[in-house]
Amino acid sequence: MTGATRAEKEQRGAGGRFRRFLERLSSSEEDLHSQELRQEADSTGCTRIAACGDRQIVRVTGTLRTVTLRPRAGVPTLEAELFDGSAALDVVWLGRRAIAGIEPGRGLIAWGRISMHHGRPVMFNPKYELRPLGQE
């Protein structure tokens, strides 16, 4: 039986912690933020956007990067880009010019059906929950 001794396991564990510490020091702020968003998605039981498939009903969470008013066929449309650290998702509310609390930098949990539009995942008129400020 070839098992590692307790001292060897502790040494590898310490080396692993030190390596993770060095990775965090050498990572950019954007990488660290992306990692935090991915961990939040996992801890809240949400699906990562990168793992979402076309026409799948999902629950996703992340931070709104952009919010834009863009008319579609003469109808006002509020569009936001939700980023969860793995990928971005366009969230679209048809017939809306503004929604209180929907602003860049705000945390959001959204659930609904994903569709693909020009190769990007899109969720139209999702049910959503705004994350409390200070927890983004």
Side-chain angles (χ1 to χ4, degrees), residues 48-60 64 68 70 72 77-83 87-94 108 110-127:
R48 288 189 183 178
I49 294 171
C52 295
D54 192 22
R55 303 192 185 277
Q56 184 180 11
I57 296 177
V58 295
R59 183 174 184 234
V60 294
L64 295 175
T68 310
R70 182 173 296 144
R72 288 183 182 228
T77 303
L78 187 65
E79 294 185 11
E81 182 184 62
L82 183 69
F83 181 70
L89 165 73
D90 293 330
V91 183
V92 179
W93 288 275
L94 301 170
L108 181 84
W111 54 97
R113 187 175 303 273
I114 296 279
S115 62
M116 298 301 276
H117 187 261
H118 298 292
R120 286 183 55 99
V122 180
M123 186 181 290
F124 289 97
N125 295 326
K127 294 179 183 175

Side-chain angles (χ1 to χ4, degrees), residues 40-54:
E40 181 183 337
D42 293 340
S43 68
T44 56
C46 294
T47 306
R48 288 189 183 178
I49 294 171
C52 295
D54 192 22

Side-chain angles (χ1 to χ4, degrees), residues 33-34 37 49 61-65 81-89:
H33 184 64
S34 294
L37 289 171
I49 294 171
T61 188
T63 301
L64 295 175
R65 281 203 216 173
E81 182 184 62
L82 183 69
F83 181 70
D84 75 345
S86 68
L89 165 73

